[in-house]
Amino acid sequence: MQLKEHKVTAFGNYINGEFVESKSGRTFQNINPANFDDIVGTFQSSKEEDVEAACTAAVAARYEWANTPATKRGEYLFKAAELLSEKLPQLGEEMTREEGKTLPEAIGEVTRAINIFRYFGGEGARQFTYQVPSERPQVLCYTIRKPLGTVALITPWNFPSAIPAWKLAPALIAGNTVVLKPASLAPLSSFRLVEALHEAKIPKGVINYVTGSGGSVGDALTSHPAINGISFTGSTSVGDALYRKVSDRKLRVQLEMGGKNPTIVLKDSDLNYAADILINGAFFSTGQKCTACSRAIIERPIYESLVQLLLEKTRNLKIGNGLNTGVQIGPAVDSHQLETDLEYIRIAKDEGAKLLCGGNRLSGKEYDKGYFIEPAIFSDVNTKMRIAQEEVFGPVLALMIAEDFENAMEIANSVRFGLSASIVSKDLTRVHEFINRIEAGLITVNLPTAGVEYQLPFGGTKESSFGMREQGPQAIDFYSETRTVYMRYAQ
Ligand code: NAP
């Protein structure tokens, strides 16, 4: 598919059931990272007063929404899912234009957001609590759930539809009103979720959407006294600072942050299969997944043969504008991320790692209009190097040799992160050992480190995550409070 001409549209905030300009009237542009001539839209540069209006609306809507039956709340999610499905091709194209991922990846992500709305719509009828026998006669003991009140949802640019969806849907079904602040680099995909809920006639004030920089909108939102809970996904540095700032208020906080995810390849593996898994995990979506594989830990006997296969396959990857048919890898999301990728490539070389392929910014023809970079593979990496310890968030794979399974486990666990991890092997005993001992919240076997499903809990361990899990039925736990009832039914 070739690029089309697009006219620039201005998108508002969504406050108290209306699409409105920011009070200052200032806006910012959302620019396609694969084609600088393509302005995807303009969005509101909001400030504290816009956050104030959103929080006021959310507080006013709390009581009625919390007292709406959960199955009725679910109907708004079902309806919004239907409306989004009707626009799937358009929404996929918009996501590719604002984030850069390929069109099939974008369509897959919007489909996932739709499924998340459907899944949590159904959770309206399944918000389980429990009753247990009492020690006392004629006494009932049981629990009920109550929503937190108003929650702040702060999301990153790399899954601009799925992440807002997997925060919005459980927050709403549990009876909370919300204020969503999307990433400034990709606000359109979540705007479309909000628009669908508006068209589904969700009551005014239940969802509010405010765009603007993290330093102004994000900061004002997380400081606002009306906020009873914060769900944040983004970088470890912003998540850490946010937690430090709100911890005195004892707010319920959920932080999903960075990763340094390993794939262990054992010597019994089918090498062709293993190479495909590594390439998928490390390079698809330009390595810009929190669950992307950035460390391949390979047993020595297969190391050389696997590296040859990896190089061959990586050199054949098609890099370009994600709207074009056959493209497998799009651009970095912006100049800052591209510079971070290139900087880590310089650091890795300086520290003694050997660049086997890629690592350059691409130029010429369509590449001059975007932030395109060749996927990079480094050998001779050891656990002390920054490339083995720090999240790059780009298409950069570090290869590390393991002498045996024990050594592979040691290397895999030698980082402060613990989001996802995978192993490629047919040896069931080793696979089970890996599952027991790997320090990661998401564990995959003979699959890439990335590629999760919405009906299961999502989250990491160590410094990757803090607080309760997202997605799956457990997501409701974060957005609701358990209250315990003791009732004597006779006097
Ligand atoms: P980021 O820079 O931390 O931003 C995340 C969100 O926080 C954005 O909406 C940002 O707004 C906002 N923000 C920035 N400063 C803030 C502040 N002082 N107070 C409140 N909010 C603030 O992260 P990103 O670059 O968008 O995303 C990439 C990172 O997300 C990577 O580290 C990746 O690993 C992580 N991630 C983790 C998961 C997971 O589930 N573990 C999933 C996806 C991504 P602006 O956009 O306006 O700056």
Side-chain angles (χ1 to χ4, degrees):
M1 193 187 299
Q2 289 305 309
L3 279 175
K4 296 177 198 154
E5 292 292 319
H6 297 277
K7 68 177 195 314
V8 179
T9 311
F11 295 92
N13 286 330
Y14 181 69
I15 297 176
N16 205 26
E18 285 178 25
F19 294 97
V20 291
E21 284 186 1
S22 65
K23 298 225 194 282
S24 71
R26 293 181 60 193
T27 59
F28 65 93
Q29 289 185 330
N30 177 1
I31 297 170
N32 183 340
N35 175 9
F36 304 149
D37 296 339
D38 177 23
I39 309 211
V40 182
T42 61
F43 288 80
Q44 304 303 310
S45 276
S46 310
K47 294 276 178 293
E48 213 174 319
E49 56 267 31
D50 304 293
V51 171
E52 184 61 45
C55 289
T56 304
V59 168
R62 255 185 215 171
Y63 181 80
E64 210 172 312
W65 185 244
N67 287 293
T68 300
T71 47
K72 171 76 184 157
R73 295 198 290 256
E75 283 170 22
Y76 295 106
L77 290 172
F78 290 138
K79 181 66 188 163
E82 198 183 308
L83 294 168
L84 290 165
S85 299
E86 286 164 13
K87 293 187 187 158
L88 182 59
Q90 174 204 326
L91 302 184
E93 192 180 315
E94 285 176 352
M95 187 189 294
T96 296
R97 288 172 58 216
E98 74 168 348
E99 202 271 353
K101 63 180 64 179
T102 66
L103 191 56
E105 285 172 325
I107 288 189
E109 185 183 333
V110 179
T111 305
R112 183 158 148 208
I114 292 167
N115 287 336
I116 288 168
F117 273 19
R118 291 194 176 122
Y119 174 81
F120 282 104
E123 284 298 291
R126 284 189 298 265
Q127 292 186 28
F128 297 116
T129 55
Y130 66 95
Q131 188 198 337
V132 289
S134 171
E135 291 178 333
R136 292 167 281 184
Q138 298 183 320
V139 171
L140 290 178
C141 301
Y142 62 95
T143 61
I144 59 169
R145 281 180 191 273
K146 298 299 270 181
L148 301 182
T150 299
V151 291
L153 311 179
I154 300 180
T155 56
W157 47 263
N158 67 328
F159 284 100
S161 184
I163 295 180
W166 82 50
K167 293 185 192 298
L168 273 173
L172 293 173
I173 203 70
N176 299 280
T177 60
V178 308
V179 181
L180 168 65
K181 185 231 146 339
S184 301
L185 285 172
L188 178 55
S189 298
S190 56
F191 177 92
R192 294 299 184 206
L193 301 179
V194 170
E195 181 183 59
L197 284 159
H198 170 75
E199 286 169 9
K201 301 199 172 6
I202 197 160
K204 64 178 191 176
V206 171
I207 44 168
N208 302 276
Y209 162 96
V210 185
T211 54
S213 79
S216 56
V217 175
D219 209 43
L221 186 55
T222 52
S223 309
H224 200 284
I227 296 298
N228 307 105
I230 301 171
S231 179
F232 165 87
T233 301
S235 60
T236 305
S237 56
V238 174
D240 284 351
L242 191 160
Y243 183 70
R244 274 196 299 277
K245 196 183 82 178
V246 302
S247 59
D248 278 357
R249 285 158 60 205
K250 301 188 178 58
L251 281 186
R252 189 172 286 194
V253 179
Q254 179 178 59
L255 306 171
E256 283 301 335
M257 301 171 287
K260 192 71 203 172
N261 311 305
T263 292
I264 294 178
V265 186
L266 295 186
K267 60 187 176 208
D268 64 84
S269 304
D270 174 325
L271 297 192
N272 196 45
Y273 186 80
D276 285 342
I277 280 192
L278 284 170
I279 284 175
N280 177 314
F283 299 145
F284 286 4
S285 299
T286 325
Q288 297 174 150
K289 292 178 182 170
C290 52
T291 50
C293 166
S294 50
R295 296 180 295 147
I297 304 165
I298 304 166
E299 271 198 296
R300 189 179 285 282
I302 55 164
Y303 181 80
E304 290 301 335
S305 320
L306 182 54
V307 170
Q308 288 320 308
L309 271 173
L310 273 174
L311 292 177
E312 208 176 290
K313 287 176 188 275
T314 302
R315 288 187 181 118
N316 285 331
L317 289 170
K318 194 168 169 199
I319 302 158
N321 187 321
L323 290 178
N324 294 333
T325 310
V327 164
Q328 292 162 289
I329 297 179
V333 73
D334 69 346
S335 60
H336 177 73
Q337 184 59 56
L338 178 71
E339 196 35 58
T340 302
D341 298 350
L342 295 170
E343 177 65 13
Y344 270 103
I345 287 162
R346 279 192 286 272
I347 293 168
K349 286 184 197 162
D350 289 349
E351 289 188 336
K354 189 168 156 201
L355 183 62
L356 297 183
C357 76
N360 298 305
R361 181 174 186 174
L362 288 160
S363 57
K365 291 187 192 157
E366 66 163 326
Y367 291 139
D368 286 341
K369 289 192 173 183
Y371 303 112
F372 295 98
I373 177 170
E374 296 168 324
I377 300 183
F378 279 98
S379 69
D380 297 40
V381 178
N382 66 51
T383 54
K384 295 205 166 50
M385 293 178 179
R386 288 179 65 189
I387 197 87
Q389 292 294 331
E390 297 173 19
E391 184 184 55
V392 178
F393 219 54
V396 182
L397 180 63
L399 305 181
M400 303 166 90
I401 299 178
E403 299 306 334
D404 53 22
F405 175 75
E406 280 306 316
N407 185 215
M409 289 302 300
E410 205 179 303
I411 298 170
N413 284 335
S414 70
V415 293
R416 67 187 176 114
F417 296 108
L419 188 56
S420 70
S422 77
I423 189 165
V424 186
S425 173
K426 297 176 197 135
D427 181 337
L428 265 185
T429 308
R430 296 269 192 256
V431 164
H432 278 283
E433 274 284 295
F434 169 79
I435 292 169
N436 279 335
R437 289 167 48 194
I438 191 69
E439 293 164 0
L442 303 161
I443 303 168
T444 70
V445 178
N446 296 322
L447 288 168
T449 49
V452 297
E453 301 183 26
Y454 55 85
Q455 68 275 32
L456 291 129
F458 175 96
T461 182
K462 296 164 89 174
E463 291 186 38
S464 288
S465 302
F466 175 83
M468 298 177 196
R469 290 289 186 249
E470 302 204 82
Q471 306 195 70
Q474 284 80 357
I476 307 282
D477 292 340
F478 175 76
Y479 293 102
S480 59
E481 199 178 73
T482 297
R483 308 256 174 101
T484 310
V485 181
Y486 297 89
M487 181 205 289
R488 180 136 196 223
Y489 53 83
Q491 293 191 3

